[in-house]
Amino acid sequence: MSVEVYYDDDADLGLIQAKKVAVIGYGSQGHAHALSLRDSGVDVVIGLPEGSKSRAKAEEQGLRVLTPAEASAEADVIMVLAPDTAQRKIYAESIAPNLSAGKALFFGHGFNIRYGLIKPPAEVDVAMVAPKGPGHLVRRQYTDGKGVPCLVAVEQDATGDAFALALSYAKGIGGTRAGAIRTTFTEETETDLFGEQAVLCGGAAALVQTGFEVLTEAGYAPEVAYFECLHELKLIVDLMYEGGIARMRYSVSDTAEYGDLSRGPRVIDSRVKEEMRKILGEIQSGEFAREWVAEDEAGRPNYNKWRAEGAAHPIEETGRKLRGMMSWVDRPITETA
Ligand SMILES: NC(=O)C1=CN([C@@H]2O[C@H](COP(=O)(O)OP(=O)(O)OC[C@H]3O[C@@H](n4cnc5c(N)ncnc54)[C@H](OP(=O)(O)O)[C@@H]3O)[C@@H](O)[C@H]2O)C=CC1
Ligand SMILES: CC[C@](O)(C(C)=O)C(=O)O
Ligand SMILES: [Mg+2]
Ligand SMILES: [Mg+2]
């Protein structure tokens, strides 16, 4: 099935420049959207609760900060970039009372719409602009004159202009420089959750940690294991990013390539593929969403425990020491760029 991909020339920046945009949340995605929209000539206001620690960061950047309800009341377009688990309550308390016909409700990820946690009224546009990359790099790429690809979707088109407006927003954050693909909330939500769980975050982190453990438990130096399994992964993935797996294979030795071809499928074998299918099934059935919402409501006991265990993994200490010797590697993450 072919998809529609839209670039800068397909999008009219004037549409979003003619609107007032409220960005609810000023974290990884919120700061990137708000600052890049502002740099693209859009009138932006930030919505954050009184007492939010993000308020000072947004104000330092010269952005106007109101409560989520005040910002929603002022805006024509409300982009929800608070944590997925917080969105339902924010919507009910602060956004819904301030929605009226002709306004647009935007999301950076489809979770709350896909799983029916938020049900907007029919007279508002509901759309999504979901960058396919971490927010801090969305902002970094924008300021470098590049862009992170976006998925754009429309769930409700009350005005008839929802897609053009979403595409215009995507242009404002640099998304159409790289390409914006038109999709649905369902496709974005399910593929995004699958990607982050099985490949990008869960799969990659487990692969790196397990490789590090196998080497260090066999008596090799942690520093050698770190360079081999984590540091060099970035350099290998850079080649894949630039020219596909084929370019990586062109650059590595033929010894590495033979090891890749003969051993890779033994690591990521049919059992792993079957587990990936199970994970996708849990996403499609809503089981993962129910589990995550319940975990959040219970105060995140497993999330906090697993997070602490990850932070205490020996690879982190080894990495801190080695990165300290490479000043160009440890680029601090800020919400200011
Ligand atoms: N992280 C990413 O790169 C990506 C995220 N997304 C999606 O973007 C959305 C935002 O995620 P992300 O940027 O990671 O979120 P973060 O956790 O980085 O930031 C959340 C922001 O929301 C604020 N916030 C918390 N509670 C409320 C509230 N009740 N009302 C208003 N603001 C609140 C936080 O403020 P405080 O400082 O007070 O906590 C913070 O500024 C999610 O839907 C996510 O799935 C999509 C693509 C990639
Ligand atoms: C890969 C994780 C992500 O989906 C993202 C940065 O795209 C997220 O939810 O943060
Ligand atoms: Mg993602
Ligand atoms: Mg995600």
Side-chain angles (χ1 to χ4, degrees):
M1 193 179 66
S2 72
V3 297
E4 297 163 72
V5 189
Y6 299 85
Y7 294 95
D8 272 354
D9 287 349
D10 303 313
D12 176 1
L13 191 58
L15 297 179
I16 198 70
Q17 285 172 331
K19 305 284 186 188
K20 177 172 276 191
V21 178
V23 175
I24 309 299
Y26 193 78
S28 181
Q29 288 294 326
H31 90 282
H33 292 223
L35 294 173
S36 300
L37 286 173
R38 182 183 66 182
D39 293 352
S40 295
V42 180
D43 186 4
V44 179
V45 62
I46 309 299
L48 287 166
E50 308 279 2
S52 161
K53 59 185 186 304
S54 297
R55 279 189 158 236
K57 295 180 191 171
E59 280 165 353
E60 272 165 29
Q61 295 309 303
L63 291 161
R64 207 158 64 89
V65 184
L66 302 174
T67 65
E70 289 165 344
S72 302
E74 272 195 12
D76 310 301
V77 176
I78 302 158
M79 170 52 105
V80 187
L81 293 173
D84 293 308
T85 47
Q87 290 181 13
R88 184 183 200 173
K89 191 159 179 272
I90 298 168
Y91 174 79
E93 290 176 357
S94 305
I95 299 176
N98 292 298
L99 284 177
S100 52
K103 286 201 180 196
L105 182 63
F106 278 24
F107 293 87
H109 176 44
F111 192 93
N112 280 269
I113 295 291
R114 162 64 181 84
Y115 295 113
L117 301 168
I118 291 177
K119 295 185 196 299
E123 68 271 19
V124 301
D125 288 349
V126 179
M128 174 173 54
V129 180
K132 292 285 88 189
H136 296 93
L137 301 192
V138 171
R139 178 59 181 158
R140 191 188 289 173
Q141 294 240 343
Y142 177 89
T143 56
D144 288 351
K146 306 174 197 163
V148 167
C150 287
L151 299 189
V152 178
V154 171
E155 182 75 7
Q156 286 183 190
D157 192 3
T159 63
D161 295 328
F163 182 69
L165 185 63
L167 205 56
S168 177
Y169 184 109
K171 186 171 184 173
I173 62 170
T176 47
R177 293 175 183 165
I181 294 180
R182 185 169 191 162
T183 183
T184 62
F185 272 63
T186 294
E187 185 174 58
E188 185 279 337
T189 304
E190 295 177 2
T191 55
D192 188 79
L193 293 174
F194 177 79
E196 65 201 22
Q197 292 175 22
V199 181
L200 302 172
C201 307
L207 187 69
V208 168
Q209 286 177 336
T210 304
F212 179 89
E213 287 166 13
V214 167
L215 286 179
T216 52
E217 285 164 13
Y220 298 97
E223 292 80 2
V224 172
Y226 177 87
F227 280 145
E228 195 56 48
C229 297
L230 191 152
H231 182 90
E232 192 172 345
L233 182 61
K234 186 243 186 300
L235 308 177
I236 291 288
V237 170
D238 276 351
L239 291 175
M240 292 193 198
Y241 175 88
E242 290 162 15
I245 292 170
R247 182 172 298 182
M248 179 278 285
R249 286 181 172 159
Y250 174 76
S251 181
V252 301
S253 63
D254 54 2
T255 306
E257 192 175 357
Y258 179 73
D260 157 358
L261 296 168
S262 64
R263 267 53 179 181
R266 282 171 53 189
V267 177
I268 307 298
D269 61 7
S270 57
R271 195 207 60 79
V272 173
K273 193 167 182 181
E274 200 40 47
E275 200 58 38
M276 284 191 183
R277 287 203 182 97
K278 264 169 71 180
I279 286 169
L280 181 59
E282 291 162 11
I283 292 165
Q284 290 169 330
S285 70
E287 185 183 338
F288 170 77
R290 283 189 293 278
E291 177 187 320
W292 174 220
V293 169
E295 168 75 10
D296 181 68
E297 284 170 353
R300 303 188 174 196
N302 291 307
Y303 174 90
N304 290 329
K305 174 172 158 285
W306 295 330
R307 202 183 206 197
E309 285 168 3
H313 192 284
I315 198 170
E316 299 302 332
E317 184 50 38
T318 305
R320 255 191 302 279
K321 198 173 71 184
L322 294 173
R323 288 192 299 272
M325 302 302 288
M326 298 179 285
S327 58
W328 62 94
V329 168
D330 190 1
R331 278 178 78 169
I333 278 190
T334 67
E335 283 73 40
T336 59

